[in-house]
Amino acid sequence: GENVEQHPSTLSVQEGDSAVIKCTYSDSASNYFPWYKQELGKGPQLIIDIRSNVGEKKDQRIAVTLNKTAKHFSLHITETQPEDSAVYFCAASYSMNYGGSQGNLIFGKGTKLSVKP
Amino acid sequence: KAGVTQTPRYLIKTRGQQVTLSCSPISGHRSVSWYQQTPGQGLQFLFEYFSETQRNKGNFPGRFSGRQFSNSRSEMNVSTLELGDSALYLCASSLRTSGGSEQFFGPGTRLTVL
């Protein structure tokens, strides 16, 4: 089955710096790669996702890149702010067409990001 | 639009008891998935329901079960609780359009087994 490795487990940056979190996956059939942010006491919040037919996607200060050949994808946060401090999870799944299984998310172990003011 | 709601938010049970957790998906979403989150194992998939049918199941013992109602609300049940069942149980809902899999999580139910 699918396995997702996430690095680093902890990341500390100065406010304004960039942060990069990397994930690798094992199942070449995986075609959907979301990133979640989880703050203390809350459920994971979807912040960005990418599908296997796209190499890069941006949304303001966050971007995700996907390298299908190498089976890895990365989250990039620019101009980090203290409110970016949280645990970030990458995930992978295989999504079938409507009516079939949407594919359960396989999560990485998470990266605790700390942004120091 | 209201998000995913889960009740109760916190629960304390003793070993051997059973528990039922509830999840109301985002309006219009027909798919509900359940995940268990623990510090040691991280986020692990339990099962997925769509149109009242279980579509996918993770690697958990039969003590973990679930169901979905016609209004897409879902419940999960854990029988004969063990200490290791202490975890944050998360529900995620999805619109489930063709090829779409965006899953939106609720705040979770924190279950403590004593």
Side-chain angles (χ1 to χ4, degrees):
Chain A
E2 176 65 279
N3 182 52
V4 177
E5 300 278 344
Q6 182 172 348
H7 299 281
S9 57
T10 60
L11 180 60
S12 182
V13 300
Q14 285 296 131
E15 182 177 358
D17 287 349
S18 295
V20 180
I21 303 170
K22 299 181 180 181
C23 289
T24 59
Y25 61 99
S26 61
D27 189 349
S28 56
S30 290
N31 60 4
Y32 176 64
F33 308 91
W35 285 88
Y36 287 86
K37 173 185 181 182
Q38 188 174 26
E39 296 173 311
L40 205 60
K42 297 184 179 181
Q45 175 194 0
L46 178 67
I47 56 172
I48 196 167
D49 58 12
I50 192 167
R51 302 183 190 279
S52 58
N53 58 347
V54 175
E56 183 176 1
K57 184 176 178 180
K58 279 186 178 180
D59 183 4
Q60 299 183 331
R61 294 187 298 110
I62 60 173
V64 57
T65 58
L66 171 65
N67 183 326
K68 286 192 298 182
T69 304
K71 288 190 281 187
H72 67 71
F73 56 113
S74 300
L75 177 71
H76 304 252
I77 306 175
T78 59
E79 300 172 21
T80 53
Q81 301 167 3
E83 51 265 39
D84 294 329
S85 296
V87 179
Y88 290 81
F89 293 95
C90 64
S93 76
Y94 169 63
S95 175
M96 295 174 64
N97 288 331
Y98 183 79
S101 171
Q102 70 172 352
N104 50 287
L105 294 172
I106 304 297
F107 284 88
K109 292 295 188 186
T111 296
K112 185 175 182 180
L113 173 64
S114 300
V115 180
K116 298 180 180 180
Chain B
K1 197 183 253 189
V4 178
T5 58
Q6 291 187 246
T7 57
R9 292 294 312 279
Y10 302 91
L11 209 47
I12 299 175
K13 292 286 188 178
T14 56
R15 279 182 301 173
Q17 287 187 310
Q18 73 165 14
V19 67
T20 299
L21 312 181
S22 181
C23 171
S24 292
I26 293 170
S27 177
H29 285 197
R30 296 172 59 190
S31 172
V32 173
S33 297
W34 289 88
Y35 292 82
Q36 181 196 65
Q37 185 175 27
T38 60
Q41 298 300 317
L43 282 149
Q44 292 185 289
F45 172 75
L46 281 156
F47 26 66
E48 175 205 352
Y49 286 87
F50 177 71
S51 292
E52 301 177 63
T53 302
Q54 187 179 93
R55 300 297 176 127
N56 200 359
K57 189 177 190 303
N59 189 27
F60 278 82
R63 301 184 296 108
F64 292 81
S65 63
R67 59 178 176 169
Q68 186 180 35
F69 302 95
S70 58
N71 61 358
S72 295
R73 191 177 70 85
S74 177
E75 289 181 347
M76 68 163 281
N77 183 276
V78 188
S79 62
T80 320
L81 285 166
E82 300 177 0
L83 295 179
D85 296 333
S86 294
L88 181 68
Y89 289 88
L90 293 158
C91 160
S93 80
S94 173
L95 187 59
R96 211 123 180 282
T97 54
S98 177
S101 292
E102 294 91 345
Q103 295 186 39
F104 299 91
F105 284 83
T109 294
R110 172 75 61 185
L111 172 64
T112 302
V113 182
L114 304 176

